[in-house]
Amino acid sequence: MTQEMYAYKCTACGELHHPKHYVCKKCGNREFDEVPLCGEVTLLTYTKVYNLPEGYMKPYLGFGIAKFTNGLVVSGQLEVENPQIGMKLKATVGIVKEGIGKDYYGFIFK
């Protein structure tokens, strides 16, 4: 099953929101259009977390904050060997945490 992440564009003023808001933070409107979030992002900052909860079979997880070309800033897992601030990455959506009976999806930057 393919998962997608969306921004929510206010139908009145065009402000983009992610995650979903029920009221536009710019104009107060309550109607939004879904806008798929995918493609190229620019890495703004990153970190590596070494103290992981039980069940992770990796020595660390990388996390990044990245900016889409439309200006929206999001966070996600980082899957690159030598991250550099300002580098261009591809935003994908995948499983970021496996749960019992339910998987959790989020951004994975490659």
Side-chain angles (χ1 to χ4, degrees), residues 5-10 15-25 29-35 37 72 74 107:
M5 299 286 270
Y6 296 95
Y8 299 89
K9 185 176 182 177
C10 176
E15 183 79 5
L16 286 174
H17 301 273
H18 177 81
K20 186 175 185 176
H21 290 248
Y22 292 99
V23 177
C24 177
K25 60 186 174 185
N29 183 45
R30 294 177 181 263
E31 294 184 24
F32 299 88
D33 291 327
E34 287 185 343
V35 178
L37 284 176
L72 200 62
V74 298
F107 285 112

Side-chain angles (χ1 to χ4, degrees), residues 7 35 50 56 72-73 101 106:
V35 178
Y50 291 91
Y56 284 90
L72 200 62
V73 177

Side-chain angles (χ1 to χ4, degrees), residues 1-89:
M1 175 171 55
T2 302
Q3 296 290 324
E4 288 191 82
M5 299 286 270
Y6 296 95
Y8 299 89
K9 185 176 182 177
C10 176
T11 58
C13 71
E15 183 79 5
L16 286 174
H17 301 273
H18 177 81
K20 186 175 185 176
H21 290 248
Y22 292 99
V23 177
C24 177
K25 60 186 174 185
K26 185 174 181 183
C27 74
N29 183 45
R30 294 177 181 263
E31 294 184 24
F32 299 88
D33 291 327
E34 287 185 343
V35 178
L37 284 176
C38 59
E40 186 177 272
V41 295
T42 301
L43 185 62
L44 300 178
T45 191
Y46 67 92
T47 191
K48 292 180 181 178
V49 177
Y50 291 91
N51 189 11
L52 299 174
E54 184 178 340
Y56 284 90
M57 302 305 288
K58 299 178 179 182
Y60 66 87
L61 281 178
F63 292 95
I65 296 177
K67 186 176 191 177
F68 279 96
T69 55
N70 64 13
L72 200 62
V73 177
V74 298
S75 62
Q77 287 187 8
L78 189 57
E79 292 187 354
V80 294
E81 287 295 316
N82 297 306
Q84 299 290 320
I85 292 174
M87 73 187 304
K88 303 296 183 193
L89 300 167

